[in-house]
Amino acid sequence: MHIGQVAARTGLSLRTIRHYDEVGLVRPSARTQGGFRLYTEADAARLMVIRRMKPLGFTLEEMGELLNVTDRLDNSGAADLGAAEREHLLARLSRFEQAARERCEALRTQLSRAEEFAADLRRRAGQLAVDHA
C-alpha cells in the first residue's frame, strides 16, 4: 500500500506516518524505484497499535518498546526464545496492559468530570435565559 492508502486506513496523517518512519517506529516494508514508501498489512497494524497508544499518553519510546516486545513474541518461535526470556517479555507485555487499563480509568474519570462541567454550564445557561426572559 502507498502511504495515502495507509493514512486512509489508519486515520493517521501523512505527516504523522512519515514522522513514525523517521523516528524508527514503523518503517515501510519497501520502497518503489521512485522512492515512494510501500507498506504491508503488518505495517498498518503496527501503526494502529501506535494510534491506540497515543491518546493514553504513552511516549514514543514506550511505543517502540511495546512494538519490540510484541515483535519478539510474535516472530520468534518457541525454540528461539528461552523460557526465561519469553517469561520476561510476557511480564513486560503485562505491565503495558496494566498501564493501559490504568490510563483508561483515568480518562474515564476525566471524561466524567468534563461531562459534569458541561451539564452544569447547560443548567446555568438555561437558568440565565429564564431569569432574563
Side-chain angles (χ1 to χ4, degrees), residues 17-103:
I17 295 170
R18 287 185 191 110
H19 176 69
Y20 292 152
D21 178 10
E22 291 167 9
V23 298
L25 277 179
V26 178
R27 300 238 186 243
S29 290
R31 289 192 179 256
T32 66
Q33 287 183 353
F36 293 102
R37 294 168 174 87
L38 294 174
Y39 294 88
T40 63
E41 291 293 333
D43 297 332
R46 288 173 67 84
L47 286 165
M48 290 300 295
V49 169
I50 294 166
R51 191 186 93 181
R52 291 177 180 127
M53 291 180 81
K54 188 153 182 58
L56 295 176
F58 286 100
T59 65
L60 292 176
E61 183 179 287
E62 290 169 322
M63 293 173 189
E65 181 183 347
L66 177 63
L67 289 170
N68 182 49
V69 166
T70 56
D71 286 349
R72 290 178 61 200
L73 287 168
D74 292 343
N75 297 330
S76 297
D80 294 341
L81 288 177
E85 183 179 8
R86 182 171 178 76
E87 219 170 286
H88 174 72
L89 291 170
L90 289 171
R92 285 171 64 192
L93 184 63
S94 179
R95 285 192 297 273
F96 274 105
E97 188 270 334
Q98 176 65 33
R101 276 192 285 121
E102 289 169 1
R103 291 173 186 203

Side-chain angles (χ1 to χ4, degrees), residues 120-133:
D120 186 48
L121 289 176
R122 229 180 354 264
R123 279 190 299 276
R124 286 181 184 204
Q127 184 60 43
L128 287 171
V130 170
D131 290 347
H132 293 300

Side-chain angles (χ1 to χ4, degrees), residues 106-121:
L107 284 172
R108 282 186 199 94
T109 299
Q110 282 183 300
L111 178 59
S112 176
R113 290 176 183 158
E115 288 172 333
E116 287 172 3
F117 175 66
D120 186 48
L121 289 176

